[in-house]
Amino acid sequence: ICFNFGIGGTGTYHQYLRYLTVSERAHLNDVVLCFFPQNDVLNNHERLGKPFELPRSPYLVVRDGAFVEKHPDADTTSINRRVSWLRSTVGTSFVATGVYRFSKLLTTDAVKRKKGVWEERASWLGVYGEPLNEDWREAWAITEEALLRFAKAVKERNSRFTVVIVADSLQIDPSTLDEEAAAKCDFEYPNRRLVQFCEKNNIVCLDSLPFFLDRKRSLEYPYFSWEHDGHYSQRGHQTMADFLESTGRFDDVK
């Protein structure tokens, strides 16, 4: 039995809190944290992640050099009301998104549209290289602290913890950025940092990027994503499944 606890727009600390809740009711043999370099580090930071957060989201923040849990709303009833409202809007959101994408399909070349998106999201590119300011330094420190807490909680419950780095669209195909912006990015930086951090702390970490780049050589654009956005297409999901199988990490759960 496989459960998916991912929620768009949330980061590692949110996932850790959801795991703590779930683990009170069920024992999970394997806990797999899928880490997406493009926005997970950003979503872990209160200020950097502000444009994408769910209503009154909890954060792990840095105050006077210490990590502090910031949970602005502990009212379960209030939280459940907001979750119900969010669920009720899902259908409307899909319809609105479909209409928007169809209009863009008619009026904009796919590559140009992706480039336009990255012009609006230039701040996201800070993850591809050494942190340039205090916000990004904090974001990485919070990310690594959340990973440590997550791994510790899973091991205490006698489950197996695995971090999977999900190759993102820019790492696979940086051509959707203009050449000047792409030249400033080290697209493998977040992967190297995460792998080294996990090795240092005895956390199993599987980096899917080399596998995707190898497969890319036999494919044509848009490779593993939908033509008009960076989310995985069926081919992308199948490639990820092939990668996980190739690692042998989960052979005993087949």
Side-chain angles (χ1 to χ4, degrees):
I1 301 173
C2 181
F3 299 97
N4 178 3
F5 299 111
I7 298 178
T10 64
T12 313
Y13 182 62
H14 300 68
Q15 295 164 341
Y16 162 70
L17 293 178
R18 287 198 294 279
Y19 169 72
L20 294 182
T21 300
V22 171
S23 65
E24 292 177 356
R25 302 194 176 193
H27 173 74
L28 304 177
N29 296 324
D30 274 274
V31 178
V32 180
L33 172 65
C34 293
F35 195 96
F36 194 64
Q38 196 171 96
N39 63 284
D40 273 2
V41 179
L42 176 147
N43 286 333
N44 285 332
H45 193 269
E46 187 177 25
R47 285 186 295 276
L48 293 174
K50 192 69 175 177
F52 318 101
E53 71 176 11
L54 297 175
R56 297 179 67 79
S57 295
Y59 282 98
L60 190 63
V61 299
V62 178
R63 296 286 186 269
D64 299 323
F67 294 104
V68 178
E69 295 181 331
K70 183 177 179 182
H71 299 183
D73 190 347
D75 183 346
T76 303
T77 302
S78 175
I79 292 172
N80 287 339
R81 280 200 302 268
R82 285 199 298 275
V83 170
S84 296
W85 174 82
L86 286 168
R87 286 175 176 168
S88 70
T89 65
V90 168
T92 304
S93 298
F94 271 109
V95 172
T97 301
V99 171
Y100 171 76
R101 289 181 177 174
F102 182 68
S103 67
K104 286 294 185 180
L105 175 64
L106 295 176
T107 60
T108 311
D109 173 80
V111 175
K112 289 182 179 179
R113 179 177 178 274
K114 282 187 177 180
K115 287 185 176 180
V117 168
W118 285 112
E119 288 174 1
E120 297 174 3
R121 298 179 180 176
S123 63
W124 288 27
L125 302 179
V127 75
Y128 302 115
E130 294 287 345
L132 298 175
N133 55 45
E134 188 59 30
D135 280 352
W136 276 105
R137 283 188 286 274
E138 283 189 355
W140 271 109
I142 290 167
T143 296
E144 292 166 351
E145 176 65 18
L147 283 172
L148 287 176
R149 295 187 183 194
F150 207 149
K152 181 174 183 290
V154 172
K155 291 175 182 178
E156 286 176 347
R157 289 158 176 78
N158 297 315
S159 301
R160 192 167 63 166
F161 184 65
T162 307
V163 175
V164 175
I165 304 177
V166 180
D168 71 46
S169 58
L170 279 181
Q171 292 178 317
I172 294 168
D173 179 28
S175 67
T176 52
L177 286 178
D178 64 66
E179 291 184 6
E180 183 178 354
K184 296 178 181 178
C185 295
D186 178 356
F187 292 104
E188 296 183 4
Y189 173 83
N191 302 49
R192 288 198 308 272
R193 179 163 180 161
L194 285 167
V195 169
Q196 291 170 6
F197 176 81
C198 288
E199 287 178 349
K200 179 180 177 181
N201 292 282
N202 297 314
I203 299 172
V204 174
C205 181
L206 308 176
D207 183 5
S208 69
L209 181 58
F211 190 89
F212 273 76
L213 292 178
D214 183 62
R215 285 279 181 94
K216 173 188 173 182
R217 290 184 291 184
S218 62
L219 303 174
E220 296 181 356
Y221 182 86
Y223 309 113
F224 307 101
S225 302
W226 297 107
E227 187 174 3
H228 294 276
D229 66 40
H231 294 91
Y232 279 176
S233 61
Q234 180 178 350
R235 177 182 286 161
H237 287 291
Q238 183 60 58
T239 302
M240 177 56 71
D242 293 343
F243 164 71
L244 293 175
E245 183 177 28
S246 74
T247 67
R249 173 69 170 169
F250 307 104
D251 286 351
D252 58 335
V253 296
K254 288 183 179 178

